[in-house]
Amino acid sequence: MIRTATANDLDVLYEVCLRTGAAGSDASDRFENPRILGQVYVGPYVVLDGCVPLTYEDHVGAAGYALGAIDTDSFHSECEKNWWPSLRAKYPDPGPAPATYDQELMSHIHRPPRPPQEVVAGYPAHLHIDLLPRIQGMGLGREMITRLLEELRSRGASGVHLEVDINNQRAIGFYEHLGFGTLIIEGDVRIMGRSLV
């Protein structure tokens, strides 16, 4: 069942994030702190205003999520006010040359990257989705993205973008099938977008 995620789901959604955090594969062996990946890429979408957090729950529990922010610039402002300060107090800034995956995320917390402004101007919303293997290949990813896009559109978003690893051909094909096209390639990241009007 697809439903709205709440703060009560954070622990299990952080686990989903970790288990899919290596371009869709398990990233558990990369991190000393198993929560930090979810704190960066899941938490703010679940608890902050201006976001659409969906989760899929099966008989075992929450097994995936589709998360969206209606306006990327507003999302970053909201994170600066209400999400990053507590994490910055908890995690020290590792400086400009992080040496571990944990430190890379600490650097992200202290210096959050932003998509290029030309992307945000044309595709102001953004999203990401992760599903555990047990619910992959069942059409649920398409169903969750479709519902998320409908919700973003109904709340005024004119376009949406996402980032995907350039080596994740399966994901790129999935997004292309859903109408996303490549906007920019920056390093190992492909930014894709589609109109919602």
Side-chain angles (χ1 to χ4, degrees):
M1 146 182 103
I2 299 173
R3 62 172 175 79
T4 300
T6 71
N8 292 331
D9 298 307
L10 282 179
D11 286 343
V12 68
L13 295 184
Y14 285 0
E15 180 72 12
V16 171
C17 186
L18 185 64
R19 298 290 178 190
T20 58
S25 298
D26 194 339
S28 300
D29 61 345
R30 294 185 177 187
F31 294 93
E32 292 180 30
N33 179 344
R35 293 177 61 81
I36 192 169
L37 191 65
Q39 288 172 323
V40 169
Y41 291 110
V42 173
Y45 297 91
V46 175
V47 303
L48 297 181
D49 292 335
C51 296
V52 180
L54 301 178
T55 186
Y56 181 84
E57 187 172 23
D58 64 8
H59 63 287
V60 179
Y65 52 75
L67 308 171
I70 299 161
D71 182 274
T72 296
D73 286 336
S74 297
F75 172 79
H76 284 290
S77 296
E78 189 72 12
C79 284
E80 280 298 324
K81 287 188 287 187
N82 298 311
W83 189 255
W84 300 133
S86 63
L87 292 178
R88 287 171 181 159
K90 181 174 183 176
Y91 299 118
D93 186 345
T100 67
Y101 286 108
D102 289 69
Q103 288 181 359
E104 283 182 21
L105 289 175
M106 291 177 196
S107 181
H108 180 116
I109 288 166
H110 287 271
R111 287 172 295 281
R114 291 188 178 224
Q117 195 54 45
E118 62 267 27
V119 169
V120 175
Y123 305 87
H126 71 269
L127 66 83
H128 59 116
I129 179 172
D130 288 303
L131 306 178
L132 290 177
R134 74 173 191 255
I135 63 167
Q136 293 176 9
M138 302 164 56
L140 294 172
R142 170 186 278 279
E143 187 177 344
M144 291 184 76
I145 289 278
T146 298
R147 183 156 161 191
L148 182 62
L149 294 178
E150 289 170 354
E151 184 66 24
L152 292 171
R153 182 186 296 112
S154 74
R155 293 173 67 174
S158 58
V160 60
H161 70 274
L162 56 86
E163 296 182 1
V164 61
D165 187 305
I166 59 169
N167 298 310
N168 194 340
Q169 291 301 316
R170 183 175 169 203
I172 291 168
F174 170 74
Y175 294 127
E176 287 176 340
H177 197 66
L178 291 172
F180 286 83
T182 297
L183 304 175
I184 307 176
I185 296 176
E186 292 188 327
D188 61 356
V189 173
R190 182 186 298 252
I191 301 178
M192 304 179 74
R194 65 163 279 181
S195 173
L196 294 177
V197 295

